[in-house]
Amino acid sequence: MAFSSQIYGLYFFMLLFGLSYAQLSSNYYATTCPKALYTIKTAVLNAVAKEHRMGASLLRMHFHDCFVNGCDASVLLDDVSPSFTGEKTASPNANSLRGFEVIDSIKSQVESICPGVVSCADILAVAARDSVASLGGPSWQVELGRRDSTTASYSAANTDLPSPLMDLSDLISSFSNRGFTAKEMVALAGAHTTGQARCLMFRSRVYNETNIDSTLATSLKSSCPSTGNDTNLSPLDATSPVIFDNAYFTNLVNNKGLLHSDQQLFSGGSTDSQVKTYSTNPVTFYTDFANAMLKMGKLSPLTGTDGQIRTNCRKVN
């Protein structure tokens, strides 16, 4: 009797916090669409080979999906009518999120072999993993079985995603609100070892902050003037701009973080020691990053009969 009450208590806890973990499975498509993972991986490898930056873009898209009402592919929905506003035009996503056409292509390929089986949310999760691996980073076994939302939240996208202007305490709170420890937050921040950011996002750091390497600041100012050229891009990790490695953390130790939020992780606060650990131990970083990504991929998924399997990731069936 005590055992059954414990099971019931665990089930209630999972329902309360939207943790439908047990319903996801790494072999979810083994019989219903056995070529799904291979198809996604091949498409991702081709997209990243064509444009290396795409790996970072697909990884970021999964993050922006999961942090807003869970990993449900709501981020992919277009504004299809005056009464429906998706998340693409929210401040953290507008003129920033990219790679939607790659997801469209993958979905089309998967639909051609297994119509109505593989969700857009699962495609995002697998594409993120394959992107990291294609750039030299770790791999992990993605849990599958998510379904797609029929709604999106413009307002939640504006409030729930951490900002590159946040201080350490706000960053810790933002990730804590999604169930992540400060250590897991630092690990996930390591995704900034690849990809680029717009001048608009780091101008204030370059011109107003003192804890930035002077040589880096001078270099950044050449492509990011004090006014104008908001969309000019600079690599988040100037040491190895494309490769997924631990150089991001070495950069932070040397005051070479591009974004304010990046350098906040190594600024005399509680996360300094974790940054130092990752800067000298890439294996530890890879392990922690993979585990944190697995955890993020399980944020409030729609399973069972909830949601749907969209035919077109951009619109509800």
Side-chain angles (χ1 to χ4, degrees), residues 86-311:
E87 297 165 15
K88 291 181 178 179
T89 54
S91 180
N93 297 335
N95 303 311
S96 177
L97 272 193
R98 58 195 300 277
F100 296 109
E101 71 286 347
V102 174
I103 299 299
D104 289 340
S105 175
I106 294 173
K107 178 62 172 173
S108 177
Q109 293 175 55
V110 172
E111 282 294 304
S112 70
I113 57 173
C114 309
V117 174
V118 181
S119 69
C120 301
D122 276 349
I123 289 174
L124 283 178
V126 176
R129 185 271 311 273
D130 292 342
S131 292
V132 171
S134 74
L135 297 174
S139 186
W140 56 92
Q141 201 166 47
V142 179
E143 299 282 293
L144 302 164
R146 301 167 192 79
R147 289 167 64 84
D148 301 323
S149 70
T150 55
T151 61
S153 179
Y154 173 86
S155 59
N158 274 318
T159 58
D160 292 358
L161 288 163
S163 161
L165 306 179
M166 280 184 172
D167 290 333
L168 181 60
S169 59
D170 290 330
L171 288 168
I172 290 174
S173 295
S174 179
F175 278 80
S176 177
N177 289 340
R178 292 292 171 269
F180 292 101
T181 65
K183 178 181 177 181
E184 290 168 332
M185 175 193 73
V186 174
L188 288 172
H192 284 183
T193 183
T194 186
Q196 302 181 33
R198 293 171 294 160
C199 167
L200 178 67
M201 295 294 104
F202 59 84
R203 175 182 284 124
S204 179
R205 169 157 167 73
V206 171
Y207 287 93
N208 300 324
E209 297 183 13
T210 56
N211 62 338
I212 183 170
D213 177 81
S214 58
T215 303
L216 174 65
T218 300
S219 171
L220 291 170
K221 287 176 181 177
S222 66
S223 61
C224 183
S226 56
T227 57
N229 296 101
D230 287 356
T231 58
N232 282 6
L233 299 171
S234 289
L236 288 159
D237 170 5
T239 305
S240 53
V242 174
I243 298 170
F244 195 100
D245 56 18
N246 68 327
Y248 166 80
F249 297 104
T250 307
N251 292 341
L252 297 187
V253 172
N254 294 314
N255 283 338
K256 293 181 179 180
L258 180 67
L259 304 175
H260 174 79
S261 58
D262 288 331
Q263 197 58 55
Q264 280 290 293
L265 302 181
F266 192 85
S267 56
S270 59
T271 54
D272 279 16
S273 60
Q274 197 59 47
V275 170
K276 275 197 169 180
T277 295
Y278 291 154
S279 73
T280 58
N281 196 328
V283 175
T284 300
F285 163 51
Y286 278 16
T287 300
D288 290 353
F289 180 82
N291 288 333
M293 286 296 293
L294 262 174
K295 181 173 177 176
M296 186 181 77
K298 296 177 182 179
L299 286 176
S300 306
L302 297 171
T303 58
T305 56
D306 292 336
Q308 62 180 214
I309 305 297
R310 287 185 219 140
T311 303

